Amino acid sequence: MFEGFDAIFLARLQFAFTVSFHIIFPAFSIGLASYLTVLNGLHLWTGKPVYLSLFDYWKKIFAVAFGMGVVSGITMSYQFGTNWSVFSDKTGPVLGPLMGYEVLTAFFLEAGFLGVMLFGRERVGEKLHFFATAMVGVGTLISATWILAVNSWMHTPAGYSINEVGQFVPEDWWAIVFNPSFPYRLVHMVLAAYLTTAFVVGGVGALHLLRRDIDTPGARTMFSMAMWMATLVAPIQIFAGDLHGLNTLEHQPAKIAAMEGHYDDHPDGAPLILFGLPDDDAETVRYSVEIPKLSSLILTHELDGPLRGLKSWAKDERPPAELIFWTFRVMVAIGFAMLGFGIWSLWARWRGRLYRAPWLHRAAVIMSPMGFVAVLCGWITTEVGRQPYVVYGMLKTAEAASPLAAPAVGTSLMAFIVIYTAVFGAGTYYILRLMNRPAIAIDEPVDSEGPVRAGGIMPGPSHGKDAADHA
């Protein structure tokens, strides 16, 4: 079935497929863990029951997302040993310990306190329960730190030497971890996770504001907190993205040339190509719409700043522009849409109509998955832009693959597609069902229609029409 395919292409396709699933769930759980910590802290500080009800609402969603993130991450390790065994052998002395530190310092921290966070409030007390929640949040951030250190080292390798059998061996762990692109990637990714979660929470809050009485405290609080996050973090993310771009220009100029669609050198200032159709074979962008000098102004902060084009590199040393030209633009467009959304919500808040703006709420529902799209597009831009190298400038992707036949890789790829569709499709469907239910504040009025369940010999009150869903 796969005899006519290239084994390396199938291995890359398999890794792209699995990492696309994987990155969604950690991005969501990083932001959601911090959100749960804030909710728990606000409840402890203010005593308002709405924060506790929202904590209980989102902790179920976090538990499912966290579990799927762990499972999808394990399969990534599996592929390092099967499809990319040469990469594992060459880089193992450097990357192996970093991955081990991630498990020891982050995953154990998350797993150790997760049970207390989910089930322990009545057993350990509110303060210790808040501490456990905070530790889960810190664990997700530490996990992101180690993973981004690994990934950044593959883009900007530092602090190593190469031994007699061609392996990268560590010389300076500080230089390895704090390699030149690490701080920019870490900040950019964590902010992306926060924005992604904020727009999901905001979309859910907006959905319930549209469906129910606008005075529902849970929906109002969700929407308000999410819009504050969008207003404050979106401009910071754009600034961090600009710094990340400058760092990429310094260390990976070919990637920048592909992202911008520049095939020719521009010694006197490069235009910003807004739209067009890159053609790697013809080495041009067809039907391009350009703004003179703007690309140089953004990337070098000078109108006449010189930029190199892809023709400066041999064809087998260039990343493919046809894909990352568009994924980069989609990511940037979503980033500016988030900024505009934050300004819109701030305007509505100033006018006292944040909870009485149905068009804003409809737009929030539409925007709710856009953070995931931006994360995926950003990841594709970063990883495809590194090609043809897996360790930039040192180890090519084609040299890092296992000596496997195409049918073997293709068969495992098909197995991944079937299993992922079933498992993660079911998990995503369950998360959407949870989000579809309203978050009922504990202090909401008792339903006048009477109890829907009984405790002992006395009937228990129901909190709103959907209380049975939360029993």
Side-chain angles (χ1 to χ4, degrees):
M1 181 177 177
F2 296 99
E3 284 77 6
F5 289 87
D6 176 48
I8 296 174
F9 170 76
L10 291 174
R12 291 181 61 191
L13 185 61
Q14 184 180 121
F15 199 82
F17 175 77
T18 52
V19 80
S20 296
F21 270 90
H22 176 63
I23 195 171
I24 287 175
F25 296 110
F28 188 34
S29 58
I30 288 169
L32 208 50
S34 295
Y35 182 55
L36 288 170
T37 303
V38 171
L39 288 172
N40 205 340
L42 287 173
H43 174 252
L44 198 61
W45 184 24
T46 66
K48 292 182 179 179
V50 64
Y51 296 120
L52 187 58
S53 66
L54 287 180
F55 178 88
D56 288 340
Y57 181 82
W58 285 102
K59 78 176 183 183
K60 301 170 189 172
I61 297 169
F62 172 81
V64 179
F66 180 81
M68 289 197 289
V70 171
V71 171
S72 59
I74 291 173
T75 60
M76 308 296 294
S77 303
Y78 158 79
Q79 289 175 82
F80 289 145
T82 54
N83 298 347
W84 303 101
S85 60
V86 178
F87 166 77
S88 299
D89 176 60
K90 298 285 187 186
T91 65
V94 171
L95 301 187
L98 299 183
M99 302 289 280
Y101 301 152
E102 193 255 346
V103 173
L104 287 173
T105 62
F107 186 68
F108 281 7
L109 191 65
E110 296 169 79
F113 286 98
L114 182 64
V116 180
M117 187 191 88
L118 294 177
F119 309 110
R121 183 192 298 123
E122 287 78 13
R123 294 172 175 82
V124 301
E126 290 190 335
K127 291 183 179 178
L128 186 53
H129 182 255
F130 168 71
F131 178 76
T133 305
M135 287 302 99
V136 173
V138 170
T140 60
L141 291 175
I142 294 176
S143 179
T145 299
W146 287 118
I147 294 301
L148 266 296
V150 169
N151 182 260
S152 299
W153 185 86
M154 293 164 65
H155 285 267
T156 51
Y160 66 91
S161 62
I162 297 179
N163 65 15
E164 64 279 2
V165 294
Q167 291 177 312
F168 297 87
V169 292
E171 294 288 341
D172 183 346
W173 281 109
W174 283 104
I176 290 171
V177 174
F178 296 98
N179 59 77
S181 66
F182 166 69
Y184 303 94
R185 293 181 197 282
L186 177 64
V187 171
H188 199 46
M189 186 65 208
V190 171
L191 292 179
Y194 284 164
L195 279 174
T196 297
T197 304
F199 275 86
V200 172
V201 172
V204 173
L207 177 68
H208 295 300
L209 284 173
L210 287 168
R211 283 180 176 176
R212 294 165 60 87
D213 181 6
I214 59 172
D215 291 327
T216 304
R220 289 170 65 109
T221 304
M222 274 193 285
F223 190 66
S224 177
M225 292 178 73
M227 291 304 99
W228 275 125
M229 178 64 79
T231 303
L232 298 175
V233 175
I236 298 174
Q237 174 69 317
I238 292 172
F239 177 68
D242 178 62
L243 295 179
H244 188 19
L246 297 178
N247 179 266
T248 305
L249 177 64
E250 180 181 355
H251 296 282
Q252 296 176 300
K255 180 194 290 188
I256 287 291
M259 290 161 58
E260 297 292 323
H262 295 316
Y263 289 92
D264 296 310
D265 290 343
H266 295 279
D268 301 320
L272 177 66
I273 303 175
L274 293 175
F275 303 104
L277 297 176
D279 186 333
D280 285 334
D281 293 330
E283 298 181 330
T284 187
V285 178
R286 304 183 188 280
Y287 315 111
S288 63
V289 178
E290 304 177 356
I291 300 177
K293 307 284 188 181
L294 189 54
S295 185
S296 285
L297 180 63
I298 294 172
L299 289 168
T300 67
H301 295 180
E302 296 178 6
L303 281 173
D304 296 326
L307 287 177
R308 296 172 65 187
L310 285 170
K311 291 180 182 176
S312 298
W313 291 269
K315 280 195 172 184
D316 61 353
E317 296 288 332
R318 304 175 189 170
E322 293 165 336
L323 177 60
I324 64 176
F325 177 86
W326 280 108
T327 54
F328 174 66
R329 275 151 185 75
V330 171
M331 178 190 69
V332 171
I334 292 174
F336 278 96
M338 289 177 169
L339 174 65
F341 207 90
I343 296 172
W344 186 6
S345 70
L346 195 63
W347 171 254
R349 192 188 299 272
W350 181 71
R351 295 182 62 204
R353 297 189 57 79
L354 186 64
Y355 311 118
R356 293 175 171 78
W359 282 108
L360 178 65
H361 302 157
R362 293 187 185 101
V365 174
I366 295 171
M367 281 290 293
S368 58
M370 288 297 113
F372 296 116
V373 177
V375 167
L376 281 174
C377 287
W379 195 255
I380 292 170
T381 301
T382 295
E383 301 309 311
V384 176
R386 184 182 53 194
Q387 299 303 316
Y389 293 100
V390 65
V391 178
Y392 197 71
M394 299 301 298
L395 179 64
K396 287 192 172 182
T397 305
E399 300 168 344
S402 301
L404 295 174
V409 184
T411 301
S412 58
L413 171 61
M414 293 301 296
F416 274 121
I417 292 174
V418 172
I419 294 171
Y420 271 51
T421 302
V423 174
F424 294 106
T428 303
Y429 174 73
Y430 182 61
I431 286 177
L432 293 176
R433 283 198 61 183
L434 291 174
M435 291 178 176
N436 196 43
R437 299 174 178 177
I440 300 174
I442 293 174
D443 61 348
E444 280 191 334
V446 174
D447 194 331
S448 60
E449 295 178 359
V452 294
R453 63 183 175 85
I457 59 174
M458 297 297 292
S462 63
H463 297 287
K465 296 178 180 179
D466 300 292
D469 292 334
H470 296 264

